[in-house]
Amino acid sequence: MSFNNRRKPRTYTYRIHLDDSKALRTIRVYDALHDDYLISTLHRSRVPTAKNGRHFGYVFYQSKEQYDYNRDEMIGGAIPGLGDRRYSLEWETFPSDSSLEMKPASKGGTRIKGERFLGTGDPRLSDYVPIDTVVPQTPTEIRAAYRDETDVMDEIETELHWAEQDGFDQLIAEQWEGFQNCSHGHVIETGNKWEPAYCEDCGYNWERDGWEREKDDVTVVGEA
Ligand SMILES: [Zn+2]
């Protein structure tokens, strides 16, 4: 490979929660034991969306690729196993809602990601639903639409409303998956005629008929 057509070294940014001990350990191991890796913490002031509140409890790391002249190849860069913790510094705070971020989408338009408060009213569900959608406007067009409060702003708000519904469906699906995968090992009997029992582990409530059918398959540990 000649010097001229060598690609530029890339910098990989990671956003890692302070409780994510597995990822933090991976960072430490690559930083300390692999000479190929050049890893540094990224100060929050250099994260464009740092003030929007979505990053509470997170730390940012950067891993820079370097060119190794002896081996004539790029070394370091992407850290194995942390692909889903990658974070793009292209994200900017969405104009009407600081719990959302936006950046140019890979196939045109803008990707909007984050969460929105829905207030599901169900104590077993999060009050925030995940949002992940793409709109055809560019980030510049979105900023202008919200600044001037145009019809395009209404279109985007409608799109976000549908994205909220998708996010809610996703929460319900995850909850149902939680019920299915739970062995219901800590079930409490309520003494209530219509909802006689619930599981402390997954939050599933049995209605009367279902309880009659399933009560022999679960572990009752107490009464409420
Ligand atoms: Zn359960």
Side-chain angles (χ1 to χ4, degrees):
M1 194 162 52
S2 83
F3 181 82
N4 286 325
N5 62 23
R6 222 167 59 207
R7 69 176 172 81
K8 280 174 63 184
R10 293 182 182 140
T11 297
Y12 295 79
T13 304
Y14 297 92
R15 174 182 178 264
I16 294 175
H17 198 268
L18 287 167
D19 290 339
D20 190 349
S21 53
K22 190 162 166 253
L24 292 170
R25 183 166 184 282
T26 302
I27 295 269
R28 275 198 298 275
V29 166
Y30 275 85
D31 190 28
L33 302 181
H34 296 262
D35 287 342
D36 290 354
Y37 280 83
L38 199 66
I39 297 171
S40 57
T41 50
L42 178 68
H43 193 270
R44 298 179 76 87
S45 63
R46 292 183 54 214
V47 178
T49 56
K51 289 201 182 74
N52 76 10
R54 290 202 66 221
H55 305 305
F56 184 76
Y58 287 89
V59 275
F60 292 85
Y61 291 92
Q62 283 195 322
S63 178
K64 286 182 174 16
E65 271 184 338
Q66 322 162 60
Y67 192 74
D68 184 317
Y69 290 91
N70 295 323
R71 279 147 60 184
D72 192 27
E73 65 180 12
M74 210 67 90
I75 56 171
I79 302 171
L82 297 185
D84 56 355
R85 279 86 157 183
R86 284 278 300 280
Y87 185 79
S88 168
L89 295 179
E90 280 182 55
W91 289 110
E92 60 178 293
T93 303
F94 192 76
S96 71
D97 187 339
S98 68
S99 62
L100 297 176
E101 294 174 348
M102 63 177 183
K103 69 170 181 162
S106 51
K107 290 174 183 159
T110 299
R111 185 165 174 208
I112 304 170
K113 203 170 181 296
E115 61 263 320
R116 271 202 147 175
F117 183 81
L118 199 64
T120 54
D122 183 335
R124 296 167 301 171
L125 285 177
S126 167
D127 279 334
Y128 290 86
V129 296
I131 300 286
D132 192 350
T133 191
V134 173
V135 296
Q137 294 81 12
T138 66
T140 307
E141 288 167 341
I142 292 174
R143 280 192 300 271
Y146 279 82
R147 189 185 56 231
D148 303 333
E149 299 183 357
T150 64
D151 291 349
V152 172
M153 179 183 84
D154 296 337
E155 281 169 35
I156 296 167
E157 283 298 315
T158 303
E159 178 55 40
L160 287 175
H161 174 72
W162 291 117
E164 260 175 31
Q165 297 306 310
D166 289 345
F168 185 68
D169 291 347
Q170 191 186 323
L171 283 188
I172 297 288
E174 281 168 9
Q175 186 191 46
W176 184 246
E177 206 173 297
F179 296 158
Q180 305 285 85
N181 293 333
C182 182
S183 57
H184 304 317
H186 298 90
V187 174
I188 305 291
E189 285 190 293
T190 62
N192 178 306
K193 193 174 168 191
W194 304 106
E195 291 193 335
Y198 67 91
C199 173
E200 283 190 315
D201 295 335
C202 69
Y204 187 73
N205 272 310
W206 280 269
E207 289 179 4
R208 192 169 56 164
D209 295 348
W211 181 241
E212 288 304 319
R213 278 195 308 273
E214 293 172 27
K215 65 182 177 187
D216 295 336
D217 300 330
V218 305
T219 311
V220 176
V221 296
E223 286 172 16

